[in-house]
Amino acid sequence: MSSVTERLLEIQNLDVIYKTDEETVYAVNDLSLSVYKGETLGLVGETGAGKTTLALSIMKLLPERTGRILKGAIHLQEFPVTAMSEADMRALRGEMVSMIFQDPMTSLNPIHPIGMQIAEMLLLHKKQLSKAQIEERVDQILTLVGISPDRKGDFPHQFSGGMKQRVVIAIALACEPQLLLADEPTTALDVTIQAQVLQMMKRLKDDLGTSMILITHDLGVVARTCDRVAIMYAGEIVEMGRVEDLFQGDYHHPYTTALFGSIPNLTKKTKRLQAIEGLMPDPTNLPAGCKFHPRCPRCMEICQKEAPGAADRKGHQVRCHLYAEAAKD
């Protein structure tokens, strides 16, 4: 990872909601985090934690009629994303920040060849390139992601799921963005292809010097790929630190402990896998105090009334009343 002084992305006290006539969904709540140049930050949490909403907020791609940022700020280097117009933001997307969406099957245009879809990024952001240079760059990018340039005239339906995901990654990396948002990029792939795609993404990130936010459910992927990890629950970051802190430390949020407890142990025989009791809270009616308290085995009276502050131990932050004294120091 590059020097910690080289901050690429900074998010401060972000609140994001989805508002309809019937209800208001509180998707992201008072969230703050930073991403530094050259690092990979893993974003981990259950379905419904707000991970994709956070990524869409960074890209400013929230649904126009329902999604809105209530408060907070997102800065991408010197660019104030939350205050930027759609025209200015369109110039940043693809060139400075790109997103690999969750489902490659629906991310590609079925009526255009893949080469044209990659070239579109270059036509929008690299207007100084000639047609021949764009064709050459498309060939280079396809080779980079392990697809023969001979197939640039093929359509998405002619590719397997794994190859489609490579095409999506090629589109995201076409302009060599400084920040890549990867939203569960291997969810739809089988285990063998997952490993290949993750290895390829890590190699490309290192070769191009790109920073990455990797959204995933898989702690094994986090261990192999990430520099730092943020654990997300009910729209909040409940724990954040280096990978070493998460996997080797003994200072954890009860939710993180429960996540590790639900991983199958290959050396022990059990009749049932260990699950986390209860369900994610209803985002339209979040509980008072700590959002995890209805499911927490170590819940105290204060947890039901007051939201905990973040206790920090050498950059390892845990938002829990168990460590309240450390938060005051």
Side-chain angles (χ1 to χ4, degrees), residues 8 23 29 33 89 101 111 137 142 154 193 229 241 276-277 303 308 312 329:
L8 179 64
E23 60 187 12
N29 306 298
L33 63 80
M89 195 64 210
F101 293 93
I111 65 170
R137 178 67 181 145
L142 284 172
D154 289 353
I193 303 300
V229 191
I276 304 174
E277 293 292 332
C303 303
D312 192 315
D329 294 339

Side-chain angles (χ1 to χ4, degrees), residues 144-160:
L144 204 64
V145 298
I147 298 175
S148 171
D150 297 340
R151 299 202 64 186
K152 65 184 175 185
D154 289 353
F155 291 84
H157 72 270
Q158 295 175 275
F159 292 85
S160 67

Side-chain angles (χ1 to χ4, degrees), residues 279-295:
L279 298 170
M280 284 278 289
D282 180 356
T284 65
N285 184 27
L286 292 170
C290 172
K291 305 295 185 292
F292 187 61
H293 88 255
R295 305 172 72 185

Side-chain angles (χ1 to χ4, degrees), residues 151-264:
R151 299 202 64 186
K152 65 184 175 185
D154 289 353
F155 291 84
H157 72 270
Q158 295 175 275
F159 292 85
S160 67
M163 296 296 272
K164 281 192 184 80
Q165 191 63 288
R166 288 170 185 259
V167 173
V168 171
I169 293 169
I171 293 171
L173 293 173
C175 297
E176 299 186 5
Q178 295 182 49
L179 177 63
L180 184 64
L181 309 175
D183 187 6
E184 300 185 36
T186 60
T187 297
L189 309 178
D190 63 67
V191 176
T192 306
I193 303 300
Q194 278 186 23
Q196 292 176 2
V197 169
L198 285 168
Q199 186 176 10
M200 180 194 70
M201 286 176 59
K202 188 174 188 301
R203 174 172 53 79
L204 294 175
K205 185 191 83 72
D206 293 340
D207 290 347
L208 301 175
T210 304
S211 301
M212 182 162 66
I213 295 179
L214 178 62
I215 298 172
T216 182
H217 295 281
D218 192 334
L219 288 168
V221 169
V222 169
R224 294 193 304 271
T225 312
C226 300
D227 301 302
R228 288 192 303 134
V229 191
I231 305 293
M232 200 166 177
Y233 185 83
E236 298 179 346
I237 300 291
V238 296
E239 182 168 351
M240 183 160 56
R242 298 174 306 154
V243 168
E244 294 85 353
D245 296 330
L246 197 78
F247 285 88
Q248 298 172 9
D250 53 3
Y251 166 66
H252 293 305
H253 191 280
Y255 179 57
T256 308
T257 304
L259 285 178
F260 276 105
S262 64
I263 299 173

Side-chain angles (χ1 to χ4, degrees), residues 15-34:
D15 279 3
V16 182
I17 64 167
Y18 295 105
K19 189 173 181 62
T20 66
D21 293 338
E22 288 81 24
E23 60 187 12
T24 300
V25 173
Y26 298 92
V28 174
N29 306 298
D30 198 31
L31 184 145
S32 299
L33 63 80
S34 297

